[in-house]
Amino acid sequence: MRILVVEDEVPIREGLLDRLGREGFEAAGAPDGETALRLAAEAPFDLVLLDLMLPGIEGVEVLDRLRRHGDETPVIVVSARAGEADRVLLLDRGADDYVVKPFSVRELVSRIRAVLRRRPAAAPPGPVAVGEARVDLDARRVTRGGEVFPLTATERGMLALLLRHRGYPVSREEFLREVWGYDRLPDTRTVDFHVVRLRRKIETDPENPRWLKTVRGAGFVLEPERGA
Ligand code: CA
């Protein structure tokens, strides 16, 4: 597993590279956003650890550029900025997780492993129709109305879970356990933000979802096709 550590502070970067190496990862470092984007374009990584406050291009911009180019490599943001607004913004922009500095390296490593575990287990083979959309978990994308929407690792994991339980509600806790790999986040609204992102990809009218519906008190359900 190859991990890119984007961090301008040398002691933190070197410390992480050393620790990740000892954990069995192949880790590379980038001191700034330009280097990170160049390295990511040269050869794909399995995961990116992204500091927000960087010289030159900021971390948020690095994330945007990766996603804009269809790069859906899982990204864990590592930042001293702890505000909920920041966290929400980043998840909304396609970050997979968020760790606040100062962090425990042990916790960070377990988050890395959790994100890397987000694989669609026993998902239906081949593309699946969801209303107007076609969901292709293997290709990690949704196509709808001639548009292609790449899926992040998190979104793919969520869709796999929803498809596995199609017609039955999946609770926020189940999402966290099955997709995120841990039982508790600071709040379960993280799941809701990713649902909003998924709706933009699947639904013709994301504000009035027909397929990925909220079930009050129970979570979210992916409606079965009519007649199925
Ligand atoms: Ca920094």
Side-chain angles (χ1 to χ4, degrees):
M1 286 290 183
R2 300 182 72 235
I3 298 184
L4 178 61
V5 179
V6 189
E7 170 65 68
D8 58 321
E9 283 166 70
V10 178
I12 298 182
R13 187 175 70 240
E14 294 303 320
L16 280 173
L17 290 177
D18 179 58
R19 175 65 183 264
L20 290 172
R22 278 187 285 126
E23 296 282 342
F25 296 105
E26 192 188 316
D32 55 58
E34 285 90 347
T35 311
L37 289 168
R38 185 170 50 74
L39 291 176
E42 277 169 11
F45 287 87
D46 295 293
L47 187 137
V48 176
L49 285 182
L50 181 61
D51 181 29
L52 282 193
M53 308 269 250
L54 293 167
I57 310 174
E58 283 210 27
V60 173
E61 179 64 18
V62 173
L63 177 61
D64 277 346
R65 289 202 201 173
L66 284 174
R67 295 297 184 245
R68 235 184 291 142
H69 292 120
D71 186 327
E72 298 297 334
T73 304
V75 171
I76 298 180
V77 167
V78 182
S79 171
R81 294 201 291 227
E84 184 182 88
D86 293 315
R87 209 161 55 80
V88 166
L89 177 77
L90 287 159
L91 294 172
D92 196 44
R93 284 180 162 192
D96 292 85
D97 206 349
Y98 192 105
V99 175
V100 176
K101 283 181 181 174
F103 53 85
S104 109
V105 178
R106 208 173 143 198
E107 153 129 25
L108 182 62
V109 168
S110 91
R111 298 276 190 113
I112 290 170
R113 293 198 193 285
V115 168
L116 291 173
R117 271 198 309 267
R118 285 176 209 174
R119 303 266 181 258
V128 180
V130 178
E132 306 291 304
R134 278 173 79 74
V135 175
D136 190 339
L137 294 178
D138 289 334
R140 281 173 54 159
R141 66 173 177 236
V142 170
T143 44
R144 180 173 55 75
E147 265 191 279
V148 178
F149 304 91
L151 294 170
T152 65
T154 303
E155 291 164 352
R156 185 177 58 167
M158 290 177 76
L159 273 175
L161 188 60
L162 285 162
L163 284 166
R164 214 153 70 220
H165 300 282
R166 195 158 185 182
Y168 298 91
V170 178
S171 71
R172 289 170 179 80
E173 290 71 24
E174 277 175 274
F175 277 115
L176 292 181
R177 204 170 49 238
E178 297 289 322
V179 181
W180 274 258
Y182 39 80
D183 291 333
R184 242 174 287 161
L185 275 183
D187 67 73
T188 51
R189 269 179 293 172
T190 302
V191 174
D192 296 63
F193 290 111
H194 285 276
V195 166
V196 169
R197 278 174 60 83
L198 269 178
R199 280 182 179 144
R200 284 191 213 132
K201 297 181 180 183
I202 292 169
E203 302 277 354
T204 310
D205 179 5
E207 304 297 319
N208 300 290
R210 277 193 57 200
W211 300 99
L212 179 45
K213 290 192 170 164
T214 305
V215 184
R216 269 190 79 173
F220 301 95
V221 66
L222 191 66
E223 295 287 337
E225 292 290 325
R226 225 180 287 277

